[in-house]
Amino acid sequence: MLALLRPALFFKPNLFTRTMSSAHLNDDCIFCKIIRGEIPSFKLVETDKSFSFMDIEPLSEGHSLVIPKYHAEFMHQLPDEYLQDVLPIAKKIATAAGFEQYNVLQNNGRLANQAVPHVHFHVINKPNAHEGLGLTWKPMKTDMDTIKSKYETVKEKLN
């Protein structure tokens, strides 16, 4: 994400007025600066709760980001009304870009590969086996008793 700090030689900052005050934004966050228009972006969709733009280090053509206009590092810290706005925007982007197969990815924390400590959702085109998100699914070895025990713990806390 440090590439976001490179000088913008080929495009100008978006000059449209932002639709939200910076009350819930962080002064030092690169994504908050994009929302405020301090750093240029290729804006796609903006609402009062979200801002989306093209990723400048894409994994495939059309790779985009949807970010809430509320600074939170982890998804569980984000107010629900901001989360409710994100997936319809991701759907619009995937549809408008003509993605046939794609990933919607959201990481929480460095161990989970979150590069910028501001909640964000990637919309990543998967046009073939080589472009887009590369993911190897390695299920852990477990048993039904262990799964049931965790289920009961989580289920109890959900109530």
PDB file of all heavy atoms in Angstrom, residues 5 21-36 38-39 70-71 117-118:
ATOM      1  N   LEU A   5       1.336   6.273  -1.870  1.00  0.00           N
ATOM      2  CA  LEU A   5       2.001   7.520  -1.548  1.00  0.00           C
ATOM      3  C   LEU A   5       2.798   8.081  -2.715  1.00  0.00           C
ATOM      4  O   LEU A   5       3.293   9.193  -2.642  1.00  0.00           O
ATOM      5  CB  LEU A   5       2.927   7.317  -0.341  1.00  0.00           C
ATOM      6  CG  LEU A   5       2.232   6.869   0.939  1.00  0.00           C
ATOM      7  CD1 LEU A   5       3.258   6.588   2.017  1.00  0.00           C
ATOM      8  CD2 LEU A   5       1.250   7.911   1.402  1.00  0.00           C
ATOM      9  N   SER A  21     -18.725  14.615   6.682  1.00  0.00           N
ATOM     10  CA  SER A  21     -17.688  15.323   7.430  1.00  0.00           C
ATOM     11  C   SER A  21     -16.619  14.321   7.837  1.00  0.00           C
ATOM     12  O   SER A  21     -16.806  13.120   7.734  1.00  0.00           O
ATOM     13  CB  SER A  21     -18.295  15.982   8.670  1.00  0.00           C
ATOM     14  OG  SER A  21     -18.592  15.001   9.637  1.00  0.00           O
ATOM     15  N   SER A  22     -15.517  14.822   8.325  1.00  0.00           N
ATOM     16  CA  SER A  22     -14.424  13.931   8.714  1.00  0.00           C
ATOM     17  C   SER A  22     -14.485  13.575  10.192  1.00  0.00           C
ATOM     18  O   SER A  22     -13.485  13.197  10.778  1.00  0.00           O
ATOM     19  CB  SER A  22     -13.080  14.579   8.364  1.00  0.00           C
ATOM     20  OG  SER A  22     -12.972  15.828   9.016  1.00  0.00           O
ATOM     21  N   ALA A  23     -15.664  13.640  10.796  1.00  0.00           N
ATOM     22  CA  ALA A  23     -15.823  13.371  12.223  1.00  0.00           C
ATOM     23  C   ALA A  23     -15.369  11.964  12.618  1.00  0.00           C
ATOM     24  O   ALA A  23     -14.857  11.781  13.713  1.00  0.00           O
ATOM     25  CB  ALA A  23     -17.276  13.586  12.634  1.00  0.00           C
ATOM     26  N   HIS A  24     -15.551  10.997  11.753  1.00  0.00           N
ATOM     27  CA  HIS A  24     -15.205   9.612  12.090  1.00  0.00           C
ATOM     28  C   HIS A  24     -13.933   9.146  11.382  1.00  0.00           C
ATOM     29  O   HIS A  24     -13.703   7.955  11.260  1.00  0.00           O
ATOM     30  CB  HIS A  24     -16.358   8.678  11.733  1.00  0.00           C
ATOM     31  CG  HIS A  24     -17.609   8.976  12.474  1.00  0.00           C
ATOM     32  ND1 HIS A  24     -17.745   8.781  13.827  1.00  0.00           N
ATOM     33  CD2 HIS A  24     -18.792   9.485  12.054  1.00  0.00           C
ATOM     34  CE1 HIS A  24     -18.951   9.143  14.207  1.00  0.00           C
ATOM     35  NE2 HIS A  24     -19.599   9.576  13.146  1.00  0.00           N
ATOM     36  N   LEU A  25     -13.136  10.084  10.888  1.00  0.00           N
ATOM     37  CA  LEU A  25     -11.930   9.728  10.150  1.00  0.00           C
ATOM     38  C   LEU A  25     -10.693  10.031  10.970  1.00  0.00           C
ATOM     39  O   LEU A  25     -10.713  10.823  11.901  1.00  0.00           O
ATOM     40  CB  LEU A  25     -11.902  10.481   8.816  1.00  0.00           C
ATOM     41  CG  LEU A  25     -13.102  10.212   7.890  1.00  0.00           C
ATOM     42  CD1 LEU A  25     -12.992  11.049   6.628  1.00  0.00           C
ATOM     43  CD2 LEU A  25     -13.242   8.744   7.571  1.00  0.00           C
ATOM     44  N   ASN A  26      -9.590   9.387  10.601  1.00  0.00           N
ATOM     45  CA  ASN A  26      -8.315   9.529  11.290  1.00  0.00           C
ATOM     46  C   ASN A  26      -7.385  10.400  10.446  1.00  0.00           C
ATOM     47  O   ASN A  26      -7.276  10.200   9.241  1.00  0.00           O
ATOM     48  CB  ASN A  26      -7.728   8.127  11.494  1.00  0.00           C
ATOM     49  CG  ASN A  26      -6.413   8.108  12.207  1.00  0.00           C
ATOM     50  OD1 ASN A  26      -5.450   8.712  11.753  1.00  0.00           O
ATOM     51  ND2 ASN A  26      -6.359   7.392  13.312  1.00  0.00           N
ATOM     52  N   ASP A  27      -6.688  11.324  11.081  1.00  0.00           N
ATOM     53  CA  ASP A  27      -5.808  12.237  10.345  1.00  0.00           C
ATOM     54  C   ASP A  27      -4.641  11.546   9.663  1.00  0.00           C
ATOM     55  O   ASP A  27      -4.157  12.001   8.636  1.00  0.00           O
ATOM     56  CB  ASP A  27      -5.252  13.319  11.278  1.00  0.00           C
ATOM     57  CG  ASP A  27      -6.305  14.322  11.695  1.00  0.00           C
ATOM     58  OD1 ASP A  27      -7.355  14.414  11.014  1.00  0.00           O
ATOM     59  OD2 ASP A  27      -6.088  15.006  12.709  1.00  0.00           O
ATOM     60  N   ASP A  28      -4.159  10.437  10.221  1.00  0.00           N
ATOM     61  CA  ASP A  28      -2.961   9.785   9.709  1.00  0.00           C
ATOM     62  C   ASP A  28      -3.227   8.586   8.806  1.00  0.00           C
ATOM     63  O   ASP A  28      -2.295   7.982   8.295  1.00  0.00           O
ATOM     64  CB  ASP A  28      -2.086   9.327  10.885  1.00  0.00           C
ATOM     65  CG  ASP A  28      -1.628  10.490  11.739  1.00  0.00           C
ATOM     66  OD1 ASP A  28      -1.326  11.561  11.166  1.00  0.00           O
ATOM     67  OD2 ASP A  28      -1.586  10.343  12.977  1.00  0.00           O
ATOM     68  N   CYS A  29      -4.472   8.221   8.603  1.00  0.00           N
ATOM     69  CA  CYS A  29      -4.821   7.031   7.816  1.00  0.00           C
ATOM     70  C   CYS A  29      -4.862   7.368   6.324  1.00  0.00           C
ATOM     71  O   CYS A  29      -5.520   8.328   5.902  1.00  0.00           O
ATOM     72  CB  CYS A  29      -6.176   6.505   8.284  1.00  0.00           C
ATOM     73  SG  CYS A  29      -6.858   5.206   7.247  1.00  0.00           S
ATOM     74  N   ILE A  30      -4.196   6.560   5.525  1.00  0.00           N
ATOM     75  CA  ILE A  30      -4.143   6.799   4.082  1.00  0.00           C
ATOM     76  C   ILE A  30      -5.532   6.705   3.440  1.00  0.00           C
ATOM     77  O   ILE A  30      -5.870   7.484   2.551  1.00  0.00           O
ATOM     78  CB  ILE A  30      -3.124   5.854   3.405  1.00  0.00           C
ATOM     79  CG1 ILE A  30      -2.853   6.308   1.981  1.00  0.00           C
ATOM     80  CG2 ILE A  30      -3.576   4.408   3.463  1.00  0.00           C
ATOM     81  CD1 ILE A  30      -1.625   5.677   1.386  1.00  0.00           C
ATOM     82  N   PHE A  31      -6.367   5.766   3.907  1.00  0.00           N
ATOM     83  CA  PHE A  31      -7.714   5.650   3.346  1.00  0.00           C
ATOM     84  C   PHE A  31      -8.593   6.828   3.770  1.00  0.00           C
ATOM     85  O   PHE A  31      -9.403   7.308   2.987  1.00  0.00           O
ATOM     86  CB  PHE A  31      -8.359   4.326   3.731  1.00  0.00           C
ATOM     87  CG  PHE A  31      -7.839   3.140   2.958  1.00  0.00           C
ATOM     88  CD1 PHE A  31      -8.213   1.866   3.313  1.00  0.00           C
ATOM     89  CD2 PHE A  31      -6.981   3.279   1.878  1.00  0.00           C
ATOM     90  CE1 PHE A  31      -7.757   0.754   2.616  1.00  0.00           C
ATOM     91  CE2 PHE A  31      -6.513   2.190   1.169  1.00  0.00           C
ATOM     92  CZ  PHE A  31      -6.914   0.914   1.540  1.00  0.00           C
ATOM     93  N   CYS A  32      -8.428   7.306   4.990  1.00  0.00           N
ATOM     94  CA  CYS A  32      -9.170   8.491   5.430  1.00  0.00           C
ATOM     95  C   CYS A  32      -8.771   9.706   4.592  1.00  0.00           C
ATOM     96  O   CYS A  32      -9.611  10.550   4.259  1.00  0.00           O
ATOM     97  CB  CYS A  32      -8.938   8.749   6.918  1.00  0.00           C
ATOM     98  SG  CYS A  32      -9.682   7.506   8.001  1.00  0.00           S
ATOM     99  N   LYS A  33      -7.493   9.774   4.231  1.00  0.00           N
ATOM    100  CA  LYS A  33      -7.032  10.873   3.380  1.00  0.00           C
ATOM    101  C   LYS A  33      -7.636  10.776   1.981  1.00  0.00           C
ATOM    102  O   LYS A  33      -7.965  11.793   1.366  1.00  0.00           O
ATOM    103  CB  LYS A  33      -5.506  10.881   3.309  1.00  0.00           C
ATOM    104  CG  LYS A  33      -4.858  11.313   4.610  1.00  0.00           C
ATOM    105  CD  LYS A  33      -3.346  11.264   4.522  1.00  0.00           C
ATOM    106  CE  LYS A  33      -2.721  11.690   5.857  1.00  0.00           C
ATOM    107  NZ  LYS A  33      -1.258  11.688   5.799  1.00  0.00           N
ATOM    108  N   ILE A  34      -7.804   9.567   1.473  1.00  0.00           N
ATOM    109  CA  ILE A  34      -8.455   9.381   0.168  1.00  0.00           C
ATOM    110  C   ILE A  34      -9.917   9.823   0.262  1.00  0.00           C
ATOM    111  O   ILE A  34     -10.417  10.537  -0.612  1.00  0.00           O
ATOM    112  CB  ILE A  34      -8.329   7.919  -0.306  1.00  0.00           C
ATOM    113  CG1 ILE A  34      -6.878   7.621  -0.697  1.00  0.00           C
ATOM    114  CG2 ILE A  34      -9.283   7.633  -1.467  1.00  0.00           C
ATOM    115  CD1 ILE A  34      -6.581   6.164  -0.988  1.00  0.00           C
ATOM    116  N   ILE A  35     -10.601   9.435   1.326  1.00  0.00           N
ATOM    117  CA  ILE A  35     -12.003   9.829   1.515  1.00  0.00           C
ATOM    118  C   ILE A  35     -12.138  11.350   1.541  1.00  0.00           C
ATOM    119  O   ILE A  35     -13.050  11.917   0.942  1.00  0.00           O
ATOM    120  CB  ILE A  35     -12.564   9.213   2.816  1.00  0.00           C
ATOM    121  CG1 ILE A  35     -12.705   7.691   2.671  1.00  0.00           C
ATOM    122  CG2 ILE A  35     -13.912   9.841   3.184  1.00  0.00           C
ATOM    123  CD1 ILE A  35     -12.944   6.955   3.985  1.00  0.00           C
ATOM    124  N   ARG A  36     -11.216  12.012   2.217  1.00  0.00           N
ATOM    125  CA  ARG A  36     -11.266  13.476   2.327  1.00  0.00           C
ATOM    126  C   ARG A  36     -10.783  14.178   1.048  1.00  0.00           C
ATOM    127  O   ARG A  36     -10.863  15.396   0.946  1.00  0.00           O
ATOM    128  CB  ARG A  36     -10.409  13.944   3.507  1.00  0.00           C
ATOM    129  CG  ARG A  36     -11.031  13.680   4.868  1.00  0.00           C
ATOM    130  CD  ARG A  36     -10.309  14.422   5.987  1.00  0.00           C
ATOM    131  NE  ARG A  36      -8.898  14.101   6.061  1.00  0.00           N
ATOM    132  CZ  ARG A  36      -8.369  13.133   6.820  1.00  0.00           C
ATOM    133  NH1 ARG A  36      -9.148  12.392   7.576  1.00  0.00           N
ATOM    134  NH2 ARG A  36      -7.075  12.918   6.823  1.00  0.00           N
ATOM    135  N   GLU A  38      -7.633  14.257   0.008  1.00  0.00           N
ATOM    136  CA  GLU A  38      -6.256  14.722   0.176  1.00  0.00           C
ATOM    137  C   GLU A  38      -5.274  13.912  -0.656  1.00  0.00           C
ATOM    138  O   GLU A  38      -4.177  14.374  -0.957  1.00  0.00           O
ATOM    139  CB  GLU A  38      -5.861  14.659   1.656  1.00  0.00           C
ATOM    140  CG  GLU A  38      -6.683  15.577   2.529  1.00  0.00           C
ATOM    141  CD  GLU A  38      -6.492  15.317   4.015  1.00  0.00           C
ATOM    142  OE1 GLU A  38      -5.556  14.575   4.394  1.00  0.00           O
ATOM    143  OE2 GLU A  38      -7.285  15.864   4.810  1.00  0.00           O
ATOM    144  N   ILE A  39      -5.663  12.699  -1.003  1.00  0.00           N
ATOM    145  CA  ILE A  39      -4.881  11.825  -1.879  1.00  0.00           C
ATOM    146  C   ILE A  39      -5.800  11.460  -3.040  1.00  0.00           C
ATOM    147  O   ILE A  39      -6.957  11.089  -2.820  1.00  0.00           O
ATOM    148  CB  ILE A  39      -4.396  10.561  -1.136  1.00  0.00           C
ATOM    149  CG1 ILE A  39      -3.412  10.942  -0.032  1.00  0.00           C
ATOM    150  CG2 ILE A  39      -3.754   9.570  -2.107  1.00  0.00           C
ATOM    151  CD1 ILE A  39      -2.956   9.776   0.824  1.00  0.00           C
ATOM    152  N   TYR A  70     -15.752   5.586   7.928  1.00  0.00           N
ATOM    153  CA  TYR A  70     -15.645   5.518   9.386  1.00  0.00           C
ATOM    154  C   TYR A  70     -14.344   4.784   9.656  1.00  0.00           C
ATOM    155  O   TYR A  70     -14.157   3.661   9.192  1.00  0.00           O
ATOM    156  CB  TYR A  70     -16.832   4.744   9.954  1.00  0.00           C
ATOM    157  CG  TYR A  70     -16.929   4.747  11.459  1.00  0.00           C
ATOM    158  CD1 TYR A  70     -17.870   5.540  12.102  1.00  0.00           C
ATOM    159  CD2 TYR A  70     -16.105   3.931  12.241  1.00  0.00           C
ATOM    160  CE1 TYR A  70     -17.989   5.543  13.484  1.00  0.00           C
ATOM    161  CE2 TYR A  70     -16.210   3.929  13.618  1.00  0.00           C
ATOM    162  CZ  TYR A  70     -17.153   4.733  14.242  1.00  0.00           C
ATOM    163  OH  TYR A  70     -17.262   4.730  15.610  1.00  0.00           O
ATOM    164  N   HIS A  71     -13.448   5.404  10.383  1.00  0.00           N
ATOM    165  CA  HIS A  71     -12.164   4.763  10.638  1.00  0.00           C
ATOM    166  C   HIS A  71     -12.292   3.712  11.731  1.00  0.00           C
ATOM    167  O   HIS A  71     -12.591   4.027  12.878  1.00  0.00           O
ATOM    168  CB  HIS A  71     -11.085   5.777  11.033  1.00  0.00           C
ATOM    169  CG  HIS A  71      -9.746   5.121  11.210  1.00  0.00           C
ATOM    170  ND1 HIS A  71      -8.944   4.837  10.134  1.00  0.00           N
ATOM    171  CD2 HIS A  71      -9.117   4.646  12.312  1.00  0.00           C
ATOM    172  CE1 HIS A  71      -7.842   4.228  10.575  1.00  0.00           C
ATOM    173  NE2 HIS A  71      -7.941   4.106  11.894  1.00  0.00           N
ATOM    174  N   PRO A 117      -4.574  -0.373   8.103  1.00  0.00           N
ATOM    175  CA  PRO A 117      -5.419  -0.560   9.283  1.00  0.00           C
ATOM    176  C   PRO A 117      -6.701   0.288   9.253  1.00  0.00           C
ATOM    177  O   PRO A 117      -6.971   1.088  10.143  1.00  0.00           O
ATOM    178  CB  PRO A 117      -4.497  -0.170  10.443  1.00  0.00           C
ATOM    179  CG  PRO A 117      -3.540   0.799   9.862  1.00  0.00           C
ATOM    180  CD  PRO A 117      -3.345   0.372   8.428  1.00  0.00           C
ATOM    181  N   HIS A 118      -7.456   0.133   8.199  1.00  0.00           N
ATOM    182  CA  HIS A 118      -8.778   0.750   8.027  1.00  0.00           C
ATOM    183  C   HIS A 118      -9.606  -0.322   7.322  1.00  0.00           C
ATOM    184  O   HIS A 118      -9.182  -0.856   6.293  1.00  0.00           O
ATOM    185  CB  HIS A 118      -8.657   2.004   7.154  1.00  0.00           C
ATOM    186  CG  HIS A 118      -9.941   2.753   6.943  1.00  0.00           C
ATOM    187  ND1 HIS A 118     -10.086   4.066   7.324  1.00  0.00           N
ATOM    188  CD2 HIS A 118     -11.118   2.391   6.377  1.00  0.00           C
ATOM    189  CE1 HIS A 118     -11.303   4.487   6.996  1.00  0.00           C
ATOM    190  NE2 HIS A 118     -11.946   3.478   6.413  1.00  0.00           N
TER     191      HIS A 118
END
